[in-house]
Amino acid sequence: MAVATATATAGCQIGQDDGLTLTRGTLSGDVTGAGATFPEPVFQEWVRYYTSAVETGVRIDYEAIGSGGGIEQFLEQAVDFGSSERYLEASELAVAEEVRGCPAVQFPVIFGSVVIAFHDEALDGMVLTAETIARIYDRDILYYDDPALVALNPDMDLPHQEIRPVHRSDGSGTTYVLSHYLATEVPFWAERYAEGTDIGWHEDTLAGDGNDGVTATVHGTEGGLGYVNQSYALQNGLATARVVNEDGVAIEPDLAATTAASDEAEIPGDFQFNLDDIGGEGYPIAGANWILAYECGYDEEVAASLRDFWDWALTDAQATTVATDLGYAPMGPELTARVRDEIARVNATP
């Protein structure tokens, strides 16, 4: 859980004539949020910097419990905002409006990649496809020197070692991003497992709680292979796979490839989208993180702090640097402007 408190002050003007202009150092309020572990590294740094150097009277408490938990707590009104790697669907939006008495607001704040990570650093750069990833998790491909993997990696000396696939044990947006990708690309996966934040995994697989748990299990298991947010792989020095995209190119999951994937997204006005059929230089297993809030019902101090924090996260140069250093791809100017308009809806209904 990331908790940050105030220690310093800064005085300057931000924003433009968009309803979000505030004098720095004037806000106060306790804001609570819960949800995805996918963006936790960048959220931690954003919260720490914002509450110690931007708005020191604000306290933000974010608990990384997984996207499923974040959606649940948001709909139960247990937190001020939720965070998820999938958007709220029509049925969930209806529930949100019913329980709150006003519409929900949801907007993306960051893009990131879901990487396939290995225990063995000698496997760094190994090439995988959607089909081989699906077959590994289906326990059809059992060893690293399976003919299908050898054919993709003719220049690697793959060991005759059992693959120990690791998945998330909690309701997870990271699981949603991976399972959506596999269900889109691999027919048998769509029929047998489908997609979701929590799916019925093969019984002969390992489980870890959160990105931290999967990372630790992969790191500590001979033959371990798992899916995690790119930032966790970077922070823990895990070897990662290159994944073949829609154009048949094996792509390393770096920041440039995540940015290229996000650039291909067609994002509608309701911000309900997936990153599908990624080609070019884009990494194919990529997704966004959404923030979930409401149009009404907040104490005004909380609402002002909530609006300002996310506006700052999208527009401040320091926030952008933090995100890119951790391997996340910020949004472009046009999308940022659209999202800022959505942020301004928070508590806008009397």
Side-chain angles (χ1 to χ4, degrees):
M1 181 163 101
V3 180
T5 53
T7 59
T9 193
C12 61
Q13 288 288 123
I14 65 143
Q16 302 172 4
D17 295 331
D18 51 15
L20 292 166
T21 303
L22 294 165
T23 301
R24 281 290 174 242
T26 63
L27 293 177
S28 62
D30 291 347
V31 179
T32 61
T37 63
F38 180 85
E40 184 186 16
V42 69
F43 282 11
Q44 284 181 340
E45 291 303 307
W46 281 349
V47 167
R48 182 193 62 78
Y49 188 87
Y50 180 84
T51 58
S52 64
V54 181
E55 287 293 346
T56 63
V58 173
R59 176 185 172 91
I60 301 173
D61 182 343
Y62 179 74
E63 187 175 5
I65 58 174
S67 292
I71 291 172
E72 181 179 350
Q73 289 207 9
F74 173 71
L75 294 177
E76 291 175 351
Q77 303 185 77
V79 291
D80 297 315
F81 71 90
S83 165
S84 173
E85 266 67 77
R86 72 162 178 84
Y87 52 81
L88 295 180
E89 298 174 348
S91 61
E92 293 164 323
L93 289 170
V95 169
E97 186 163 4
E98 181 179 355
V99 300
R100 190 75 162 197
C102 62
V105 178
Q106 59 179 340
F107 49 87
V109 291
I110 206 79
F111 293 97
S113 291
V114 174
V115 307
I116 305 300
F118 305 109
H119 169 84
D120 186 353
E121 63 182 19
L123 297 174
D124 191 45
M126 180 179 177
V127 175
L128 295 174
T129 62
E131 178 81 21
T132 54
I133 295 169
R135 290 177 60 195
I136 286 169
Y137 273 96
D138 191 45
R139 300 303 280 154
D140 180 46
I141 293 178
L142 295 175
Y143 294 92
Y144 282 104
D145 62 352
D146 184 277
L149 301 182
V150 171
L152 289 169
N153 299 275
D155 297 327
M156 293 189 76
D157 184 17
L158 298 178
H160 184 66
Q161 182 178 47
E162 184 181 0
I163 303 173
R164 302 299 304 280
V166 185
H167 64 81
R168 288 282 290 271
S169 61
D170 55 323
S172 159
T174 310
T175 297
Y176 173 78
V177 172
L178 177 70
S179 62
H180 174 81
Y181 166 69
L182 295 179
T184 301
E185 298 288 333
V186 184
F188 89 76
W189 187 276
E191 296 173 3
R192 196 170 303 167
Y193 296 98
E195 63 184 54
T197 56
D198 189 7
I199 65 175
W201 296 97
H202 192 286
E203 62 183 10
D204 189 22
T205 55
L206 305 176
D209 186 23
N211 275 294
D212 282 327
V214 172
T215 299
T217 303
V218 169
H219 189 73
T221 303
E222 292 289 336
L225 173 153
Y227 61 91
V228 295
N229 171 17
Q230 181 189 17
S231 179
Y232 285 81
L234 288 171
Q235 290 180 332
N236 291 276
L238 293 174
T240 58
R242 291 180 292 155
V243 180
V244 176
N245 70 10
E246 196 72 9
D247 289 336
V249 182
I251 301 293
E252 180 182 351
D254 57 19
L255 177 60
T258 303
T259 301
S262 68
D263 287 343
E264 292 201 14
E266 295 184 9
I267 300 176
D270 61 9
F271 299 111
Q272 298 183 18
F273 65 94
N274 292 295
L275 299 181
D276 293 333
D277 304 322
I278 301 301
E281 297 301 316
Y283 179 77
I285 318 176
N289 178 259
W290 282 261
I291 298 304
L292 318 174
Y294 288 104
E295 272 195 2
C296 70
Y298 295 103
D299 175 273
E300 188 48 44
E301 286 187 349
V302 171
S305 300
L306 184 56
R307 289 191 300 264
D308 186 67
F309 173 70
W310 291 114
D311 189 69
W312 169 86
L314 295 180
T315 59
D316 183 81
Q318 178 65 27
T320 299
T321 297
V322 166
T324 55
D325 284 350
L326 289 170
Y328 298 90
M331 297 182 296
E334 181 180 352
L335 180 57
T336 296
R338 290 169 56 192
V339 170
R340 294 185 77 198
D341 288 342
E342 196 73 3
I343 293 171
R345 289 178 52 206
V346 174
N347 223 39
T349 301

